[in-house]
Amino acid sequence: MLTSKEAQLGSLMARIAALGTIVVFAVQALLIGPDQVGYSTEYGAIVDIVSFVQTFGILFTISLTQKLFGDNNPYFRIVSAILFVAAVIQLTGSLSSTGNANSVFDSVLSADQANAVANNGQLVTFILYGIWALCLISADENNRVPSWGRMSGQGAAYLVIAVQIGALFGLIPLAAFVPVFILGGVVLFPVFVYGISIAFSGAGE
């Protein structure tokens, strides 16, 4: 059971994560675009900084949802723990490209290479986010997440899993990534995470 402080913190962090997700995916889709190869010198710093804040928020969200939804669902708790580790790796690499690009020291790796290394596990991490969303919805036996949030979460989960599996085998055309980023990253997943913030708001001792 969550304490009132944990519920307030979870609600705040989920909203930060939702807003950060919108900004990151909107910038990547509309300003950087799928044609950009490597680090964007124009918008890369914005994406990296917002990604750090967004991932920081999602880590709190993942951790606290384990207490909110995981009491009677060990599968959800374990999936959450796996995603938490993946998100920590995301967090630690989120500023590496900009830090590398602006470093006053000689670097072995270019900013593009640092960006590639930081995003090396992104495909699997995105699949884990999809699995986590489906597990959370299944674990939400009391329907704490509003119905619109649950539907958005299911849509985001199925979309991200399908797209990542398709990308794994080269089946997703480059032109599809902008609408996918907008639908999944600007609309569906943020709405789902905002729905989680509503669930936190109604919880707490």
Side-chain angles (χ1 to χ4, degrees), residues 111-166:
D112 290 345
Q113 291 169 327
N115 185 64
V117 171
N119 292 324
N120 195 44
Q122 182 172 277
L123 187 148
V124 172
T125 301
F126 278 10
I127 292 175
L128 289 174
Y129 273 111
I131 295 172
W132 175 76
L134 293 175
C135 289
L136 186 150
I137 292 167
S138 176
D140 182 18
E141 297 176 350
N142 295 320
N143 295 326
R144 293 182 181 273
V145 178
S147 59
W148 46 264
R150 297 168 67 90
M151 289 188 292
S152 295
Q154 289 174 327
Y158 292 131
L159 177 66
V160 72
I161 292 171
V163 168
Q164 296 308 309
I165 292 175

Side-chain angles (χ1 to χ4, degrees), residues 1 10 12 33 51 53 57 64 77-78 85 89 96 104 108 112 115 117 124 128 132 159 167 172 174 188 197 199:
M1 185 67 178
L12 173 63
S51 291
V53 175
L64 291 171
R77 290 201 307 271
I78 294 170
V85 173
I89 295 171
S96 60
V104 298
V108 175
D112 290 345
N115 185 64
V117 171
V124 172
L128 289 174
W132 175 76
L159 177 66
I172 307 298
L174 186 64
L188 293 177
S197 79

Side-chain angles (χ1 to χ4, degrees), residues 7 144 197-204:
R144 293 182 181 273
S197 79
I198 300 297
F200 279 124
S201 297

Side-chain angles (χ1 to χ4, degrees), residues 4-173:
S4 59
K5 287 187 177 180
E6 287 174 327
Q8 291 172 3
L9 182 62
S11 181
L12 173 63
M13 288 299 182
R15 293 180 187 193
I16 289 173
L19 180 59
T21 302
I22 292 172
V23 173
V24 168
F25 278 89
V27 171
Q28 288 180 332
L30 302 177
L31 298 180
I32 297 177
D35 295 328
Q36 172 73 37
V37 178
Y39 178 75
S40 170
T41 55
E42 190 171 4
Y43 300 109
I46 296 173
V47 171
D48 283 0
I49 292 169
V50 177
S51 291
F52 177 86
V53 175
Q54 183 265 348
T55 308
F56 194 81
I58 203 69
L59 280 166
F60 275 81
T61 304
I62 294 167
S63 181
L64 291 171
T65 53
Q66 292 182 67
K67 291 192 67 175
L68 184 59
F69 301 114
D71 286 345
N72 299 313
N73 196 314
Y75 187 78
F76 172 67
R77 290 201 307 271
I78 294 170
V79 169
S80 296
I82 295 170
L83 178 60
F84 188 88
V85 173
V88 168
I89 295 171
Q90 269 191 316
L91 182 71
T92 57
S94 59
L95 299 176
S96 60
S97 301
T98 299
N100 184 286
N102 296 321
S103 177
V104 298
F105 302 102
D106 292 334
S107 177
V108 175
L109 299 179
S110 67
D112 290 345
Q113 291 169 327
N115 185 64
V117 171
N119 292 324
N120 195 44
Q122 182 172 277
L123 187 148
V124 172
T125 301
F126 278 10
I127 292 175
L128 289 174
Y129 273 111
I131 295 172
W132 175 76
L134 293 175
C135 289
L136 186 150
I137 292 167
S138 176
D140 182 18
E141 297 176 350
N142 295 320
N143 295 326
R144 293 182 181 273
V145 178
S147 59
W148 46 264
R150 297 168 67 90
M151 289 188 292
S152 295
Q154 289 174 327
Y158 292 131
L159 177 66
V160 72
I161 292 171
V163 168
Q164 296 308 309
I165 292 175
L168 178 65
F169 296 102
L171 301 177
I172 307 298

